[in-house]
Amino acid sequence: MDTELPQEEKIKRIEQIKLQLMEKHKDETVRYTGCSINCGGSGCILKVRLKDGKITAIEPDDRYHRNVGREDAVATDDELQKNKLQQRHCPFAWGWRRHLYSPNRVLYPLMRAPGSKRGEGKFIRISWDEALTIIAEKMKECKEKYGPYSIITPYIDNPMLDPLFGWFEAGVQGWGWCSQDAERLAEHLMTGYPGWTYAPSFDMADVLFNSKLIVLWGLDLTTTRIGPAHQFAWYVKMAREKKGTPVICIDPRFSDTAAVLADQWIPIKPGTDMAMLLAIAYIVIKEDLYDKEFVERFVEPKGFKKWADYILGVSDGVPKTPEWAEKICAVPAETIRDFTYLYAKSKPTFLYKNWSVARKSRGENSARAAAALQAIMGYWGKGGYSGFGPRSRNAPYIRPWFPMRIPLGLMPRKYYPPRMYRSNKWAQAVLLLDKVKSGELSTEEYRRIIGWRADPNLPNPNPKMLFGGGPQAQTVNTLVTGTNATLHQIEAMNRLEMVVWFATHMTPTAMYADIILPVQDQTFECPTFANNDYGGFSHNTFCPGVVKAPGEAKPFMWIYTKLAEKLGFGRRYNTYYTTDENWDKDWLRYLGAYYNRFRDTMKRWELDLPEWEEFLKQECPSINLDEYFDEPCHGYVNELELGLPFPTKSGKIEICSEILEKEEERGKLHFDARGLVIDVLPNDWRDLTPIPTYQPAVRGMEDPLVAKYPLMLLSSHGRYRSHSTGWDNPWLRGDVYRHALWINVADAKVRGIKDGDIVRVYSDVGEVRVPAYVTTRIMPGVVVLRHGAWIELDEKGVDHGGCPNMLLFDDKSPQTPAHATGLVQVEKVEG
Ligand SMILES: Nc1nc2c(c(=O)[nH]1)N[C@H]1C(S)=C(S)[C@@H](COP(=O)(O)OP(=O)(O)OC[C@H]3O[C@@H](n4cnc5c(=O)[nH]c(N)nc54)[C@H](O)[C@@H]3O)O[C@H]1N2
Ligand SMILES: Nc1nc2c(c(=O)[nH]1)N[C@H]1C(S)=C(S)[C@@H](COP(=O)(O)OP(=O)(O)OC[C@H]3O[C@@H](n4cnc5c(=O)[nH]c(N)nc54)[C@H](O)[C@@H]3O)O[C@H]1N2
Ligand SMILES: [Mo]
């Protein structure tokens, strides 16, 4: 507004704007729903304004402190502890409307136009019956002609397909996500709890307020949400402001979090955090600063000794001193020392090493080491942080997209789809078969590269059909988000006879499909639950389906059920299904059963949740789990507080893995002490060491490949979207977000690159062209291209969208973490 205007004029203008807005929003109704997008922190409550069946606006949650501007000024300690706070959305939520009503929505079942090539984007509309018949017939043909291992899934494995393939008795899936598999492995090996269980759950508010030092290690909380509504970041801010807790950020980038939340920023070479972790452990062991009593009671002694011997240099002659670490990670020895003394005296320290640190070659080591370090300091449990999770509360989430958890379809026992490859290696599983057939590659090496995690006696797969549906009832966008060269994935698709994809929007991946099935949006169009898995602050929020879906888009579960019907086992697959006319009622009955199961669990703690029917009548049907408990929740209560053994072989925290120590275990499928399969450990763990050690990252800063590709590429998550979702929303681009390659001024200067210049970023598997963002906010030698940019390929296969996954490839590292980093070279594009 023009500041020169006289006061009365200004007031008049404001009145006018107010009236216009009131007119615009007249006669609207308000409904609440939960955001279902997978930002990990999903589940934020959205207040939705509706008029004539359309969404007119999305407003923030206002269940608590209505009309209060700054909640921290009024919230009581109890309210803070119980997270009775509004959930403030992210930019993606503000732009939701434009995403939902995007011209890019898929409205009808589509088939690739006869005579057109994959990826050309020429489709014809077909009916649902035709689409499902084509898919079912092809599945039957594949099974008959090529055997049960001929239908495969891309990145990521799909829980809806386990029972479907099960009843069909054919189909293969990959294993593993890309989020935090290294941490899931660490948790399973060290504690006996499969990653993604609730044992390490804790109350985020409680630990943040009671820790004496907060270390955000590879965590850009104000951008990359962990937990809903940036609440994690907000609590860090409050711990700092209200309790004076110091905050340290360890990140190769001067992130927004480092800028606004941290007292100290420690830049570190990516992929070398392990060296610093070991140097910290060296000081605390050497100088007796660790918690002997905790170690005595809870840590398996032989494993601890092996690790300590390695750290002190007893076993390999190399003490892991700060001076040793400095040469690797570029953090001055003096800084490591100062950090360690502060860390050791701040009891407990919340040292939160996030997943990006390990989402790279050899991430298994830093994931295990951070947890082991926190253990020997006695920082697990109350305050502090174990290094795993977190999820909040030992209560189940209401996850309607995991239908096998209750008998929506009773799980078939005869056939369970084997996990023959790590999910993001699906293209390698297809492409390398040629080399196996020609004898160039042994079956053992093939299985090592693709991360085989199945019965070793099974034959190799024989892939002919790719079924892309995705977990969480979301479709995945594998060409953009699968951490493996995009061009390899396209080549693999082209070897296959049929590619099927579920899609809400026409993503680059859907573009390569032969059949596309239009899916309803879960946040707004079909009843479901939204909740978050990452970062605590848990909610279970009912999404009632506030608007009608466009075109012929269907609920995801309807599609699987109807396909099962075509394959001859519809009602076995979905035991709630009666008739098409009753679909909505049956589905609600199922959601109700799910809710009741959750309610029963809560009853175990004598907590009385409303009945299903009552719950549905609420203005905003949502359960804030923290609100129901007076006592904060701490991790590993059974073991650390009640004295029960950890479910490991020794009953203690195991720093050394017995499986990884035994050569005879290599090549087998691995089980934990309770007989559960270790989900994220491939049969062959390659050269992963039994204790966490420093091993240079493949395609990291110490790889000889730096001679050719000298810059390490990171692909951090973006503020304005959730992965690739939202990329095509014009509200979230242009003026608000410039997709560009972060490059240090020194690296730019030697290449003659100025801010805004278009650069070629390339590796041996692909090339991307994007503008450069020349900045001192990134360390020299490191570049960042944020993940999720949609590919825009030219005729030479060069991407002009700026997708980092074009450049990623690793066939040498142990396979547990996704490899979301790599080495590249950057050049200015002339002219
Ligand atoms: N806005 C938004 N939020 C999201 C998501 C999203 O797409 N958008 N995705 C959600 C999901 S599913 C997940 S799994 C999480 C992922 O959460 P993270 O794994 O934390 O996400 P990143 O953005 O990859 O990385 C965070 C920070 O780690 C730094 N980093 C990268 N490599 C290293 C390293 O080797 N060492 C150190 N010390 N730091 C390093 C990066 O510079 C970055 O600042 O985020 C969730 N939240
Ligand atoms: N280079 C690099 N790659 C990465 C990462 C990285 O850090 N760097 N991070 C990895 C991580 S942690 C993750 S979790 C993955 C995420 O990978 P993806 O799961 O592939 O990512 P999204 O973009 O969230 O894709 C979800 C798809 O679901 C669709 N969708 C949205 N809403 C709905 C709905 O209501 N119903 C249905 N059926 N579909 C819907 C969207 O249009 C989108 O195509 O990416 C991984 N890939
Ligand atoms: Mo993730």
Side-chain angles (χ1 to χ4, degrees):
M1 191 176 285
D2 190 343
T3 46
E4 299 305 311
L5 281 179
Q7 189 65 8
E8 311 97 79
E9 199 56 33
K10 276 191 204 165
I11 292 170
K12 231 161 88 192
R13 282 247 198 134
I14 291 169
E15 281 304 314
Q16 270 172 359
I17 294 170
K18 237 165 70 185
L19 286 174
Q20 275 167 6
L21 274 174
M22 280 164 71
E23 188 56 32
K24 192 173 161 199
H25 293 288
K26 216 168 80 185
D27 303 325
E28 286 174 343
T29 47
V30 169
R31 302 283 304 271
Y32 290 80
T33 190
C35 186
S36 308
I37 285 297
N38 170 31
C39 69
S42 344
C44 285
I45 285 156
L46 310 178
K47 183 179 175 186
V48 187
R49 294 186 160 273
L50 297 151
K51 195 168 173 172
D52 305 325
K54 289 254 175 208
I55 297 171
T56 49
I58 293 171
E59 295 181 356
D61 168 26
D62 58 357
R63 289 159 308 147
Y64 306 107
H65 309 125
R66 231 168 241 195
N67 300 325
V68 169
R70 289 204 50 170
E71 287 179 280
D72 53 343
V74 296
T76 62
D77 285 353
D78 186 62
E79 283 177 323
L80 287 178
Q81 184 62 55
K82 293 182 174 175
N83 187 28
K84 287 178 154 180
L85 297 165
Q86 297 174 11
Q87 294 187 338
R88 307 275 167 93
H89 312 147
C90 70
F92 179 81
W94 300 123
W96 239 122
R97 203 153 56 90
R98 190 64 193 259
H99 178 65
L100 192 72
Y101 298 130
S102 161
N104 221 2
R105 277 298 293 266
V106 181
L107 304 179
Y108 305 101
L110 299 174
M111 184 173 82
R112 177 156 58 90
S116 71
K117 283 209 213 98
R118 290 215 177 106
E120 255 180 59
K122 292 188 182 145
F123 292 97
I124 53 171
R125 180 177 163 183
I126 53 174
S127 70
W128 267 107
D129 193 61
E130 280 171 295
L132 295 169
T133 306
I134 293 170
I135 298 168
E137 289 310 312
K138 189 70 192 176
M139 286 176 74
K140 289 182 200 161
E141 184 198 322
C142 281
K143 183 180 166 189
E144 218 157 89
K145 244 168 93 182
Y146 308 114
Y149 311 123
S150 56
I151 306 164
I152 64 164
T153 53
Y155 175 66
I156 315 170
D157 62 326
N158 178 344
M160 252 76 65
L161 284 181
D162 280 330
L164 192 101
F165 285 174
W167 290 115
F168 184 57
E169 293 181 19
V172 178
Q173 297 231 45
W175 59 271
W177 279 56
C178 287
S179 308
Q180 45 163 324
D181 285 354
E183 286 74 14
R184 288 172 62 205
L185 178 69
E187 190 177 338
H188 209 153
L189 293 180
M190 293 173 74
T191 70
Y193 286 106
W196 276 342
T197 44
Y198 298 95
S201 306
F202 56 79
D203 222 308
M204 193 65 105
D206 182 60
V207 288
L208 286 173
F209 284 149
N210 289 310
S211 292
K212 299 291 181 297
L213 168 68
I214 295 174
V215 182
L216 305 177
W217 198 315
L219 184 62
D220 184 9
L221 272 183
T222 61
T223 301
T224 320
R225 295 176 294 284
I226 304 291
H230 288 300
Q231 238 131 334
F232 190 163
W234 204 64
Y235 274 89
V236 171
K237 178 171 145 64
M238 281 195 293
R240 198 169 167 234
E241 286 178 1
K242 286 183 189 281
K243 313 259 172 184
T245 315
V247 178
I248 298 177
C249 238
I250 306 180
D251 199 307
R253 256 173 359 106
F254 186 61
S255 63
D256 291 352
T257 304
V260 304
L261 286 181
D263 296 281
Q264 187 187 7
W265 169 50
I266 303 179
I268 189 164
K269 279 171 144 184
T272 68
D273 304 78
M274 187 60 196
M276 177 156 166
L277 287 163
L278 288 171
I280 300 167
Y282 175 87
I283 300 170
V284 298
I285 294 173
K286 185 95 183 163
E287 300 184 22
D288 264 351
L289 301 173
Y290 68 99
D291 187 336
K292 290 221 174 76
E293 204 189 310
F294 187 95
V295 171
E296 187 108 333
R297 282 183 65 195
F298 299 115
V299 180
E300 191 279 314
K302 276 193 243 145
F304 172 64
K305 176 149 194 317
K306 274 184 201 155
W307 200 47
D309 282 351
Y310 165 75
I311 288 167
L312 299 175
V314 177
S315 51
D316 65 352
V318 184
K320 310 301 174 298
T321 60
E323 286 69 23
W324 166 85
E326 174 184 312
K327 292 198 191 80
I328 297 169
C329 68
V331 180
E334 192 190 337
T335 308
I336 300 178
R337 275 209 177 82
D338 287 349
F339 173 87
T340 307
Y341 295 132
L342 183 66
Y343 167 70
K345 90 173 174 212
S346 309
K347 294 186 187 309
T349 291
F350 180 86
L351 185 151
Y352 192 102
K353 181 214 62 62
N354 211 39
W355 314 315
S356 63
V357 177
R359 202 182 300 114
K360 50 175 61 78
S361 165
R362 309 215 175 273
E364 296 93 335
N365 287 324
S366 55
R368 287 181 294 163
L373 181 63
Q374 284 288 89
I376 65 171
M377 294 308 295
Y379 292 165
W380 282 33
K382 251 180 227 175
Y385 169 58
S386 64
F388 310 125
R391 274 126 249 137
S392 60
R393 299 288 167 201
N394 283 298
Y397 293 97
I398 306 181
R399 294 211 118 166
W401 45 78
F402 282 120
M404 71 277 241
R405 286 213 184 150
I406 57 167
L408 185 111
L410 292 168
M411 273 299 275
R413 296 192 183 272
K414 211 160 135 201
Y415 182 92
Y416 187 78
R419 265 51 184 176
M420 289 184 168
Y421 48 91
R422 200 198 187 288
S423 63
N424 56 312
K425 292 279 172 216
W426 72 269
Q428 256 58 46
V430 175
L431 295 172
L432 292 177
L433 280 173
D434 284 352
K435 287 193 176 169
V436 176
K437 278 180 198 140
S438 71
E440 217 180 304
L441 191 72
S442 68
T443 284
E444 291 70 42
E445 187 57 14
Y446 167 75
R447 293 183 177 193
R448 246 172 245 141
I449 293 173
I450 64 171
W452 183 278
R453 204 225 69 201
D455 181 345
N457 300 313
L458 290 176
N460 287 336
N462 185 17
K464 300 291 173 192
M465 181 174 181
L466 184 67
F467 200 117
Q472 303 206 336
Q474 297 184 357
T475 51
V476 298
N477 196 358
T478 188
L479 294 184
V480 170
T481 58
T483 43
N484 183 39
T486 306
L487 294 183
H488 292 190
Q489 297 190 59
I490 293 174
E491 200 187 330
M493 279 183 174
N494 286 334
R495 300 282 174 92
L496 303 173
E497 293 179 10
M498 187 181 281
V499 176
V500 173
W501 223 267
F502 283 40
T504 49
H505 291 69
M506 187 60 92
T507 62
T509 308
M511 199 79 103
Y512 278 82
D514 300 310
I515 303 283
I516 306 179
L517 304 175
V519 202
Q520 293 182 357
D521 179 88
Q522 293 166 73
T523 304
F524 296 107
E525 293 169 354
C526 55
T528 186
F529 275 92
N531 38 39
N532 61 298
D533 209 7
Y534 300 161
F537 304 119
S538 276
H539 280 65
N540 277 316
T541 301
F542 182 65
C543 312
V546 296
V547 291
K548 213 170 142 291
E552 290 180 4
K554 293 286 186 192
F556 66 96
M557 200 56 200
W558 182 91
I559 307 176
Y560 288 105
T561 304
K562 297 304 277 184
L563 181 60
E565 199 171 50
K566 286 262 179 228
L567 293 169
F569 47 80
R571 287 196 179 77
R572 253 183 299 159
Y573 178 76
N574 179 350
T575 51
Y576 283 74
Y577 172 57
T578 55
T579 60
D580 277 0
E581 295 69 51
N582 276 341
W583 176 267
D584 291 345
K585 270 196 219 143
D586 291 341
W587 179 242
L588 268 185
R589 198 155 50 83
Y590 166 69
L591 293 180
Y594 220 107
Y595 173 87
N596 282 333
R597 202 177 75 114
F598 168 72
R599 192 166 169 259
D600 289 345
T601 314
M602 298 289 273
K603 273 189 196 150
R604 271 191 249 145
W605 289 290
E606 295 173 9
L607 296 169
D608 206 11
L609 294 186
E611 305 254 2
W612 172 235
E613 288 73 21
E614 288 307 306
F615 174 70
L616 289 185
K617 280 187 210 144
Q618 293 178 356
E619 184 189 25
C620 172
S622 175
I623 289 163
N624 168 4
L625 283 175
D626 292 318
E627 193 173 323
Y628 283 83
F629 296 86
D630 287 327
E631 285 299 309
C633 148
H634 296 131
Y636 302 107
V637 174
N638 285 348
E639 295 80 8
L640 303 180
E641 288 173 31
L642 305 178
L644 296 170
F646 278 91
T648 51
K649 202 168 159 203
S650 63
K652 296 192 167 190
I653 298 166
E654 296 184 356
I655 296 179
C656 180
S657 159
E658 216 179 74
I659 294 175
L660 302 184
E661 266 189 318
K662 289 188 186 149
E663 251 330 282
E664 65 271 23
E665 283 288 329
R666 197 183 289 279
K668 294 182 187 160
L669 193 58
H670 306 294
F671 299 90
D672 65 15
R674 291 183 293 178
L676 297 170
V677 70
I678 305 179
D679 180 35
V680 280
L681 183 62
N683 291 26
D684 190 330
W685 58 85
R686 309 193 105 174
D687 59 355
L688 183 63
T689 44
I691 49 167
T693 59
Y694 177 70
Q695 296 173 294
V698 174
R699 293 181 187 238
M701 296 183 95
E702 289 186 86
D703 191 316
L705 207 61
V706 291
K708 203 161 169 205
Y709 301 109
L711 299 168
M712 186 157 178
L713 170 76
L714 307 183
S715 53
S716 314
H717 294 210
R719 181 188 297 285
Y720 295 96
R721 57 187 178 277
S722 176
H723 309 286
S724 71
T725 309
W727 173 259
D728 56 336
N729 185 341
W731 281 352
L732 304 178
R733 295 276 291 283
D735 289 346
V736 296
Y737 174 68
R738 174 173 71 134
H739 189 62
L741 181 85
W742 291 49
I743 184 166
N744 183 276
V745 284
D747 292 322
K749 191 159 184 215
V750 292
R751 290 169 175 78
I753 296 166
K754 289 195 295 301
D755 190 74
D757 282 352
I758 303 290
V759 293
R760 278 179 75 203
V761 191
Y762 60 95
S763 72
D764 51 346
V765 293
E767 178 177 330
V768 167
R769 295 201 179 190
V770 277
Y773 165 38
V774 179
T775 174
T776 49
R777 290 180 61 186
I778 179 102
M779 286 175 82
V782 187
V783 290
V784 179
L785 198 52
R786 287 199 186 275
H787 127 88
W790 289 17
I791 47 165
E792 286 168 33
L793 297 179
D794 65 18
E795 62 292 345
K796 290 197 188 112
V798 171
D799 169 36
H800 296 258
C803 173
N805 297 33
M806 285 287 296
L807 309 164
L808 306 179
F809 181 71
D810 182 350
D811 59 356
K812 294 199 172 63
S813 300
Q815 280 305 354
T816 295
H819 304 134
T821 61
L823 290 176
V824 295
Q825 179 54 295
V826 177
E827 278 168 19
K828 185 177 168 174
V829 175
E830 298 299 337

